[in-house]
Amino acid sequence: MAEYAGCRGCRHYLRVYVNGIPTCRAFPEGIPPIIIVGKEHTKPLPDQDNTIVYEPAEAAK
């Protein structure tokens, strides 16, 4: 896997905000603070409703 580049470097990042919180395909209602502040999201969180995790944005090309 490529080096972790955070939410903005992920192909699932949506650049849409809900109540001031950034969203992505994994967290359409808002990315959890623990991920926003830098915890790697390379495995689904225990309470996550799907299995979407970080993928480098370059992989979308």
Side-chain angles (χ1 to χ4, degrees):
M1 173 176 276
E3 184 177 326
Y4 185 75
C7 294
R8 291 188 176 155
C10 180
R11 70 177 290 183
H12 301 293
Y13 186 69
L14 296 176
R15 294 172 179 79
V16 173
Y17 289 72
V18 172
N19 296 322
I21 301 170
T23 64
C24 66
R25 289 183 183 92
F27 302 104
E29 300 300 317
I31 300 169
I34 192 163
I35 294 174
I36 292 172
V37 298
K39 177 176 172 39
E40 288 190 14
H41 186 225
T42 54
K43 295 181 182 176
L45 296 180
D47 58 345
Q48 190 173 330
D49 293 337
N50 54 60
T51 59
I52 298 169
V53 295
Y54 173 83
E55 291 181 59
E58 310 87 59
K61 294 180 182 176

